[in-house]
Amino acid sequence: MSPADTGASTLVAATTPVPASDSRLTPGGPGYRRMSFALFLAGVATFALLYSTQALLPLISSGFGVSASAASWTVAAATGGLALFVLPMSALSERFGRRTVMTGSLVVAVSIGVLVPFAPSLGALVALRFLQGAALAGLPASATAYLAEEVRPKALVTAIGLFVAGNSVGGMSGRVITGWVAQEWGWRAAVAVIGVIAVGCAVAFRLLLPAPKHFTPGSLRPRVLARTVRDHLANPLLRRLYAIGALFMTVFGGVYTVIGYRLTEAPFSLPQGIVGSIFLVYLVGTVSASTAGRLVGRLGRRGALYLAGGTTATGLLVSLSDSLPLVLLGLVLITAGFFAGHAVASSAVSKTATTGRAQASALYQSAYYIGSSTGSTVGALAFHAGGWAGTVGVGVLAVLGVVTITVLGSRAAGVERRGLEGAAA
């Protein structure tokens, strides 16, 4: 493995010169804006659908007469379905093409979204959400693989940052819209509105996304796929990045699954519409994700991860206050740190994997959404057992995991660098 693979050089530095004849997309070039906007809309639809019930959990709890931890399964089932199916869907994208799989995923997911408002019981709702998450599994890994193939290396972090920014806008708009709609007409009407928005995003995505020019079909043979996955899991840098993505998402999933319960209870006692509007802080994530490339350029990948982890941990501790402005400040810091860390880690995966990019990204996404499901469930259980402090405790432990893994990566890179220097002497 080269020093670049271990993180000895920064992510944005090109390892080889780009030929003048390189036809891949670059900022300012033809097709780049269409591609960026199309994938931005795909990110909006994905996160709006995936987390459509998260801001509505208190209403779902009261509507079905269940506890917070039981209602949280409407979130955990969706992210769990995505985590389980992202690897098989990435294999399909290697064979049939990124755009084809992404389009099919959106079509199935929005079709299931039409049924979600009519779920007669919590069990039926959880089942539909699982299927919806499984359908959405074709988007995240395929999108990052598409970008890695169609965008020039120097623009890759920025391009993936824009896709992640679409995730943040989708998560924010879905929660804000559902909060206000649910306050007037209930949670069923709220998820129906999200479904309509997702349909519009899906249609625009298919019309705007340029046809791939650098895709080479791969094999669907299980032995070939198993070898590709095994090779990725044998890469120490990729393993660290997968763990970092899972831990960051554990924090985020726990915080945003529980925050609605905290804000609707004393001492805040906010109405559902106001609670939904709290998710406007996702706009901070849009900015931090889209600027991840510049952050890596200044601090390096590990420096950017330290900053993202420190920002997230600070936000968790600030949110312990019973002052609403300080709680909001804490959410801003958590959101900024999470989206920056996610953009850095996910783009590093695409940069590191030179073959089987869809599988490499799929493994990251699988770990990421396992973290989301874990955070949603464990965060809700911790809230039930110890209040908001319990949820914060889970988050702080996850951030400490991120920092520890990054430190170990720094040491491993240093050892390998010294070994290479000794061999060259």
Side-chain angles (χ1 to χ4, degrees):
M1 194 188 321
S2 68
D5 290 333
T6 61
S9 61
T10 59
L11 190 65
V12 279
T15 55
T16 56
V18 178
S21 59
D22 193 340
S23 62
R24 285 177 290 181
L25 300 172
T26 188
Y32 184 85
R33 288 186 178 180
R34 285 181 56 205
M35 177 274 299
S36 297
F37 188 51
L39 288 176
F40 178 86
L41 291 175
V44 169
T46 299
F47 256 48
L49 289 171
L50 196 63
Y51 294 99
S52 59
T53 63
Q54 194 171 56
L56 306 173
L57 292 180
L59 294 179
I60 292 173
S61 289
S62 61
F64 288 120
V66 297
S67 66
S69 57
S72 72
W73 278 103
T74 64
V75 179
T79 54
L82 194 153
L84 287 174
F85 281 87
V86 68
L87 191 57
M89 294 295 280
S90 74
L92 293 178
S93 84
E94 291 281 9
R95 180 66 182 87
F96 299 108
R98 320 300 186 194
R99 189 169 69 162
T100 299
V101 170
M102 287 189 285
T103 301
S105 290
L106 279 175
V107 169
V108 175
V110 298
S111 299
I112 294 172
V114 173
L115 302 176
V116 167
F118 303 101
S121 65
L122 180 65
L125 178 59
V126 169
L128 287 171
R129 295 283 293 148
F130 176 83
L131 294 175
Q132 196 169 45
L136 288 170
L139 270 160
S142 299
T144 51
Y146 175 94
L147 289 169
E149 292 164 352
E150 304 298 327
V151 175
R152 292 191 183 184
K154 283 188 176 181
L156 183 59
V157 178
T158 300
I160 290 180
L162 289 172
F163 174 66
V164 174
N167 294 168
S168 71
V169 169
M172 177 271 295
S173 60
R175 291 160 171 91
V176 172
I177 292 169
T178 55
W180 286 106
V181 173
Q183 183 171 303
E184 297 296 326
W185 296 289
W187 69 266
R188 295 179 186 275
V191 293
V193 169
I194 293 302
V196 172
I197 292 172
V199 169
C201 288
V203 171
F205 162 81
R206 187 61 181 82
L207 293 175
L208 290 172
L209 189 69
K213 297 181 179 179
H214 303 278
F215 169 72
T216 302
S219 173
L220 273 178
R221 288 181 296 172
R223 183 177 298 177
V224 174
L225 296 174
R227 184 170 63 248
T228 301
V229 170
R230 185 176 64 248
D231 289 345
H232 290 327
L233 292 177
N235 185 319
L237 175 55
L238 287 177
R239 289 202 304 268
R240 291 193 293 270
L241 292 170
Y242 298 153
I244 286 170
L247 289 168
F248 265 124
M249 195 54 168
T250 297
V251 180
F252 200 68
V255 165
Y256 278 100
T257 294
V258 170
I259 191 64
Y261 290 98
R262 188 188 184 200
L263 295 179
T264 55
E265 295 176 356
F268 306 110
S269 302
L270 299 179
Q272 186 65 43
I274 298 297
V275 170
S277 296
I278 297 298
F279 291 91
L280 284 169
V281 298
Y282 264 49
L283 292 173
V284 176
T286 305
V287 175
S288 67
S290 60
T291 59
R294 291 198 295 273
L295 187 64
V296 172
R298 290 185 178 184
L299 303 176
R301 180 174 64 243
R302 292 188 297 275
L305 289 173
Y306 286 135
L307 179 60
T311 302
T312 304
T314 301
L316 287 166
L317 297 176
V318 170
S319 72
L320 287 169
S321 171
D322 284 335
S323 166
L324 184 58
L326 287 178
V327 172
L328 295 180
L329 175 60
L331 291 176
V332 166
L333 294 173
I334 293 166
T335 304
F338 162 74
F339 276 105
H342 170 41
V344 171
S346 61
S347 58
V349 169
S350 295
K351 183 75 172 182
T352 302
T354 56
T355 60
R357 284 193 177 103
Q359 278 73 48
S361 295
L363 288 169
Y364 175 84
Q365 296 292 336
S366 182
Y368 175 81
Y369 285 108
I370 287 172
S372 177
S373 295
T374 302
S376 299
T377 304
V378 176
L381 290 172
F383 180 75
H384 179 73
W388 181 250
T391 303
V392 167
V394 171
V396 169
L397 288 175
V399 172
L400 287 175
V402 169
V403 173
T404 300
I405 291 169
T406 307
V407 168
L408 293 175
S410 299
R411 291 180 178 177
V415 169
E416 182 167 347
R417 183 170 55 249
R418 288 190 295 272
L420 291 172
E421 290 171 352

